[in-house]
Amino acid sequence: MRWSRLLISACAWLALSGAAFAQEQLSIRCMTVEPDEAERGRIDDEVRRNGQMRAALGFEAAVTGGVIDVYFHVITNSSGQSGNVPDSQLFEQIAVLNNAYAQGGWQFNHVATDRTANDAWFTAGPGSPEEKQMKAALRRGTADDLNFYTSNPGGGLLGWATFPSSYAKNPLQDGVVVLYSSLPGGSADPYNLGDTGTHEVGHWMGLYHTFQGGCNDRRGDFVSDTPAERSPAFGCPVGRDSCSQKRFPGLDPIHNFMDYTDDACMFEFTGGQDARMDAMFTTYRLER
């Protein structure tokens, strides 16, 4: 099945050794450039109007799942010795995505893999000229196809993604980029079970972080069933309640894929997040 402001969710996760990852609890796992409050409101209004229009025409307000084709772009250094992840890890990444998104009815289908040896692209950061060149040269498909780049970005970055609402204005930059060693079986312990990919695809599907807006933003991440969270959680702090006021019931969603906890701690999306992904995909990625 196929469907038809570059808002980069630049998730700057520390690309250190496994030991350094485990020790680094105070670092920012994700440096996100998300839409400001006014833009988030505009996007939300546009998604709501699109659902109403579809319903008036006799369609479902939003699609509730489908198959997303995936194009892997493996970027290595010029010698091809660093970053050249085997096909087996790519297949495992697809399996991780399918497991994470299955409850919402979404499946990911590996269509093709290309491999490029290029030092400048291998270390390209979000928004850099090298990233733009890389994506312009390699990106395939349309709005409903996932382009998944693996590389070794500079500055300690672990991954980033674009939001659905940015596609129309900058289609060539659409997709997700992750640190190659964060794929299942990689060396970026405790972020080496493939959930960097799950997290970034969540952004690509339209989700914000669970801690968006902290304890003070009424709409937060625009999902009603993710409890408010003052700041990102690291490790797996069971019982954490950073917004303990009565008007913010519920423990922090540390097991949610859109927080910053260790891969082994993450295992869920909520029903509200699933509904939001459906609505965002329908509005911005459904092939017309």
Side-chain angles (χ1 to χ4, degrees):
M1 179 188 300
R2 297 181 59 80
W3 306 274
S4 91
R5 342 180 43 145
L6 180 59
L7 302 175
I8 297 178
S9 173
C11 289
W13 294 2
L14 289 171
L16 308 175
S17 68
F21 266 128
Q23 294 168 1
E24 187 57 73
Q25 294 298 308
L26 299 178
S27 296
I28 299 173
R29 186 179 176 184
C30 187
M31 292 172 55
T32 302
V33 180
E34 292 180 332
D36 61 23
E37 185 176 357
E39 180 67 5
R40 294 199 307 271
R42 186 198 68 77
I43 292 169
D44 197 52
D45 288 342
E46 189 169 58
V47 170
R48 182 169 56 253
R49 288 195 303 270
N50 184 69
Q52 292 170 344
M53 180 185 68
R54 286 177 57 87
L57 293 173
F59 298 106
E60 290 183 331
V63 296
T64 55
V67 178
I68 296 172
D69 286 344
V70 180
Y71 295 91
F72 280 116
H73 308 289
V74 177
I75 312 301
T76 72
N77 66 354
S78 58
S79 69
Q81 297 301 304
S82 183
N84 196 17
V85 294
D87 287 344
S88 59
Q89 283 186 276
L90 302 179
F91 299 150
E92 283 296 316
Q93 182 67 69
I94 290 290
V96 168
L97 293 177
N98 281 331
N99 183 62
Y101 289 88
Q103 185 175 352
W106 295 99
Q107 293 182 312
F108 295 84
N109 174 48
H110 178 210
V111 174
T113 299
D114 55 63
R115 298 173 184 273
T116 304
N118 185 308
D119 283 332
W121 294 1
F122 186 51
T123 58
S128 66
E130 293 79 12
E131 183 209 11
K132 293 175 182 178
Q133 294 164 7
M134 173 184 74
K135 288 183 172 180
L138 299 179
R139 194 188 185 284
R140 298 177 61 183
T142 56
D144 61 328
D145 297 314
L146 173 62
N147 281 255
F148 194 113
Y149 302 81
T150 68
S151 63
N152 188 32
L157 305 184
L158 214 166
W160 67 92
T162 55
F163 289 111
S165 54
S166 72
Y167 179 83
K169 288 189 175 181
N170 208 336
L172 287 181
Q173 296 304 301
D174 188 65
V176 306
V177 182
V178 305
L179 174 69
Y180 76 91
S181 55
S182 74
L183 268 61
S187 61
D189 181 43
Y191 308 120
N192 61 342
L193 301 181
D195 284 326
T196 294
T198 304
H199 180 103
E200 299 308 337
V201 171
H203 287 311
W204 186 82
M205 294 286 284
L207 297 182
Y208 300 132
H209 294 123
T210 52
F211 49 85
Q212 174 77 41
C215 299
N216 300 315
D217 190 328
R218 178 177 59 83
R219 292 186 291 184
D221 64 352
F222 286 73
V223 176
S224 61
D225 60 356
T226 53
E229 187 175 24
R230 184 177 301 278
S231 60
F234 294 89
C236 194
V238 176
R240 183 177 189 252
D241 189 5
S242 60
C243 293
S244 57
Q245 303 95 323
K246 290 183 179 179
R247 65 192 181 103
F248 294 117
L251 299 177
D252 291 358
I254 66 166
H255 301 301
N256 197 283
F257 289 117
M258 302 313 293
D259 206 338
Y260 289 175
T261 48
D262 295 351
D263 280 12
C265 191
M266 296 177 167
F267 58 76
E268 65 182 359
F269 289 116
T270 67
Q273 286 175 315
D274 176 43
R276 180 173 178 79
M277 287 189 281
D278 291 346
M280 294 288 283
F281 195 97
T282 303
T283 303
Y284 297 112
R285 296 199 181 281
L286 192 65
E287 191 173 72
R288 301 293 197 286

